[in-house]
Amino acid sequence: MCSGASNPEPSRRGPKLGRRRLFQGAVAAGGLAAAGAGGLQIAQAQESHPGRDRQGEFRWKHRSFYGYQAANADQFLNNHNDACITNYWSNWDLCTLASVLAIGVFNEDDGLVDRAIDYMYHGEGNGSIEHAIPFVHQDEGLAQQQESGRDQGHTLMDTGLLGTICEMAWTQGVDLYGHSDNRVAKCADYVARYNLGLDVPFTTYAWGHWQTCAPREQTIVSEASRGQVRPVWNVIYHHYAGRQGWRCPSRTRTPRTAPKAGDYGDASGGYDALGFGTLTYTR
């Protein structure tokens, strides 16, 4: 696990590293989450393209705000499709929040940026930090991800999305990485350790399903897709090891340098994160 000094509760805003700085990376998911994934991908592509057409940029800004943003915030974050607040897995919220934050940065809209960041701190759905990472195992210095009892493919997806959101927030002067005593670091260590074949503790996770909030629970960590390789580690590793100077042996052993960009399987999950992390995040 990573070892380093605990951070005090960060202030909501610090010095910005530049309103117009996003990083490359993308995710994909199905259903309602597709609006979040699409908005995130296109906003990042627009922001990172140095020779973009200004007229096309204006059109995208208009389209992103009135199209993707309406689906992301108004149709999902506000009411979660009229389902029980615990119904949707954390990746649905996280895709949506990543899109809202990316569109907010791209459009230089402080309101959208603040809305996404406030949700990460205080949101009722499974995308807020405390709900995406519901259990901290203090003795081991690990934290359990909300989808750990479901399968490791989605758990890895969530790890990448948490890194994506934390890194965008960092460029805006907000330290989500350090929130709740570096909860994201403890979660990344938990996911890394289990997918390296090591044992991790597990607390029974219970939730309400669909619109009736029918009770469901998971009692053990899932072995489904265990050991899967996805290019999600660089962004988190290089924050804690590069910026903060921590020792991170578990994540040092993960395949942080992925052999190719995208195409990590024949299902949609193979394109949740498109790689290039070594180039983008190494410090």
Side-chain angles (χ1 to χ4, degrees), residues 1 66-67 71 92 107 131 165 175 177 180-181 234 243 266:
M1 67 191 69
Y66 291 103
W92 292 69
N107 282 282
H131 293 152
I165 293 168
D175 184 12
Y177 284 115
S180 187
D181 194 22
N234 277 290
R243 285 193 184 116
D266 56 5

Side-chain angles (χ1 to χ4, degrees), residues 1-7 140-142 181-182 185-186 189 237 239-252:
M1 67 191 69
C2 284
S3 58
S6 295
N7 292 350
E140 297 86 355
L142 303 172
D181 194 22
N182 303 291
K186 295 173 183 177
D189 282 332
Y237 175 82
H239 171 77
Y240 291 106
R243 285 193 184 116
Q244 307 295 337
W246 290 18
R247 291 183 63 253
C248 302
S250 291
R251 268 172 280 137
T252 299

Side-chain angles (χ1 to χ4, degrees), residues 151-201:
D151 63 63
Q152 297 309 303
H154 284 95
T155 302
L156 287 164
M157 178 185 182
D158 294 328
T159 302
L161 285 166
L162 284 164
T164 294
I165 293 168
C166 287
E167 187 67 14
M168 282 192 287
W170 181 269
T171 70
Q172 305 308 305
V174 179
D175 184 12
L176 293 177
Y177 284 115
H179 177 63
S180 187
D181 194 22
N182 303 291
R183 203 177 185 102
V184 169
K186 295 173 183 177
C187 177
D189 282 332
Y190 182 101
V191 176
R193 284 179 61 84
Y194 187 67
N195 282 280
L196 286 168
L198 303 175
D199 292 334
V200 293

Side-chain angles (χ1 to χ4, degrees), residues 52-258:
R52 59 181 178 268
D53 170 61
R54 293 296 172 180
Q55 184 176 0
E57 178 181 340
F58 176 80
R59 287 196 302 269
W60 163 244
K61 283 187 175 182
H62 184 274
R63 185 177 300 125
S64 69
F65 190 85
Y66 291 103
Y68 286 101
Q69 176 52 28
N72 292 337
D74 299 332
Q75 296 180 31
F76 189 70
L77 286 183
N78 281 353
N79 59 29
H80 287 83
N81 203 28
D82 295 322
C84 185
I85 193 63
T86 59
N87 175 72
Y88 284 98
W89 301 103
S90 59
N91 76 83
W92 292 69
D93 267 21
L94 291 170
C95 274
T96 301
L97 290 161
S99 179
V100 171
L101 184 54
I103 290 171
V105 173
F106 179 64
N107 282 282
E108 303 182 28
D109 187 323
D110 283 349
L112 284 186
V113 171
D114 288 339
R115 182 175 187 176
I117 290 171
D118 184 74
Y119 196 99
M120 292 299 294
Y121 283 124
H122 306 297
E124 295 182 358
N126 284 326
S128 62
I129 292 176
E130 272 81 0
H131 293 152
I133 310 169
F135 304 113
V136 176
H137 301 278
Q138 295 287 6
D139 291 345
E140 297 86 355
L142 303 172
Q144 181 177 319
Q145 210 280 322
Q146 189 259 345
E147 301 200 53
S148 293
R150 182 188 185 192
D151 63 63
Q152 297 309 303
H154 284 95
T155 302
L156 287 164
M157 178 185 182
D158 294 328
T159 302
L161 285 166
L162 284 164
T164 294
I165 293 168
C166 287
E167 187 67 14
M168 282 192 287
W170 181 269
T171 70
Q172 305 308 305
V174 179
D175 184 12
L176 293 177
Y177 284 115
H179 177 63
S180 187
D181 194 22
N182 303 291
R183 203 177 185 102
V184 169
K186 295 173 183 177
C187 177
D189 282 332
Y190 182 101
V191 176
R193 284 179 61 84
Y194 187 67
N195 282 280
L196 286 168
L198 303 175
D199 292 334
V200 293
F202 188 85
T203 297
T204 294
Y205 177 71
W207 75 99
H209 177 67
W210 200 224
Q211 294 177 324
T212 62
C213 293
R216 301 286 178 86
E217 69 176 17
Q218 294 163 337
T219 59
I220 59 172
V221 63
S222 174
E223 293 187 358
S225 303
R226 189 178 187 182
Q228 192 176 90
V229 174
R230 293 198 186 196
V232 300
W233 299 108
N234 277 290
V235 58
I236 297 175
Y237 175 82
H238 286 295
H239 171 77
Y240 291 106
R243 285 193 184 116
Q244 307 295 337
W246 290 18
R247 291 183 63 253
C248 302
S250 291
R251 268 172 280 137
T252 299
R253 293 169 55 195
T254 59
R256 291 178 290 107
T257 304

